[in-house]
Amino acid sequence: MHIRLINPNTTASMTDKIGAAGKRVAAAGTRISATNPAAGPVSIESHFDEAISAVGVLEEIRRGEPEGVDAYIIACFGDPGLLAARELTAAPVIGIAEAAFHLATLISTRFSVVTTLGRTAIIAEHLLQNYGFAHHCRKVRAAEIPVLDLEDDGACALNRIIDECRRAKAEDGIGAIVLGCGGMADLTDEIREAVGLPIVEGVTAAVKLAESLVSLRLGTSKFGDLDFPRPKVFTGRFDYLGS
Ligand code: 2AL
């Protein structure tokens, strides 16, 4: 089976890291490919960044369809464009935040999220509410790391994340921690060892969920709101999206 990881930001080094993390956990026989949009923000850390990146995600889904991709993963913790992406394909589409939340509830009764910037904590909080996980999550914490520092300043960023995870363990009354950024996909083992709690990371969680859905022949339902969009004309620079 072919799983396509879509990094919604345009930083190729992060796309490579996300692809490598997916390959590390993929089953024999699973092909992992990783892409990012050609245009858009280099990192996603605001509602504006998310809205722009969602268009890039949808373009990547459209590119994947003729290639016969079996499942897609949206590898940014805001899950930008998730429901719209599901409309464009009959394959499963999984966001890394929803994947991590689902797995965290299977191994703990309460978890906290450790994300990048305090400013983006609200995005995770909205997702927890929308997905129905809010009462499983004690706290969304921020290590106050800009996303691209995960690329440029790995050691310092790792220490700050570990410190925040240790505070979560000491103060939140939790059994597990969810890492709140696709750019943290390579840090899970070091954080788990340093903190001594189960650490749920979204890219790897989503790969294993995608493999499960494809094995079970479960794709996005085309009955109801996730059916393919109704054919219509798109005007101006979006005319290529019309049919
Ligand atoms: C993210 C993420 O996962 N990738 C990105 O560019 N921004 N979200 C986050 N909260 O840091």
Side-chain angles (χ1 to χ4, degrees), residues 102-113:
H102 276 281
L103 291 201
T105 62
L106 299 180
I107 57 159
S108 67
T109 49
R110 293 286 185 272
F111 61 85
S112 285
V113 176

Side-chain angles (χ1 to χ4, degrees), residues 48-157:
F48 178 73
D49 295 343
E50 273 214 346
I52 303 300
S53 71
V55 176
V57 167
L58 301 177
E59 288 174 340
E60 289 305 305
I61 301 272
R62 280 168 57 97
R63 262 183 357 112
E65 287 300 274
E67 296 177 41
V69 170
D70 295 299
Y72 299 90
I73 292 168
I74 301 177
C76 169
F77 206 76
D79 296 351
L82 178 60
L83 290 179
R86 286 187 176 139
E87 288 184 331
L88 295 185
T89 177
V93 184
I94 301 175
I96 63 169
E98 65 170 357
F101 298 154
H102 276 281
L103 291 201
T105 62
L106 299 180
I107 57 159
S108 67
T109 49
R110 293 286 185 272
F111 61 85
S112 285
V113 176
V114 175
T115 189
T116 48
L117 294 176
R119 174 175 179 161
T120 58
I122 189 68
I123 294 174
E125 287 165 4
H126 281 161
L127 291 183
L128 287 157
Q129 283 161 10
N130 288 343
Y131 296 159
F133 288 114
H135 60 290
H136 292 277
C137 181
R138 287 274 196 220
K139 197 163 182 179
V140 178
R141 291 174 168 268
E144 294 304 347
I145 308 165
V147 170
L148 291 185
D149 279 12
L150 291 164
E151 304 305 291
D152 302 338
D153 193 8
C156 176

Side-chain angles (χ1 to χ4, degrees), residues 141 157-168 195:
R141 291 174 168 268
L158 175 63
N159 288 334
R160 293 181 78 141
I161 296 164
I162 288 172
D163 286 347
E164 197 59 36
C165 288
R166 285 184 172 141
R167 277 192 282 276
V195 177

Side-chain angles (χ1 to χ4, degrees), residues 149-216:
D149 279 12
L150 291 164
E151 304 305 291
D152 302 338
D153 193 8
C156 176
L158 175 63
N159 288 334
R160 293 181 78 141
I161 296 164
I162 288 172
D163 286 347
E164 197 59 36
C165 288
R166 285 184 172 141
R167 277 192 282 276
K169 182 183 182 185
E171 297 168 12
D172 295 355
I174 50 167
I177 289 173
V178 167
L179 297 182
C181 181
M184 299 178 185
D186 57 335
L187 305 179
T188 318
D189 292 343
E190 284 162 291
I191 297 171
R192 187 192 311 107
E193 269 171 39
V195 177
L197 275 183
I199 305 295
V200 185
E201 188 285 312
V203 172
T204 45
V207 166
K208 300 316 284 182
L209 287 178
E211 285 181 338
S212 300
L213 291 177
V214 174
S215 302
L216 294 168

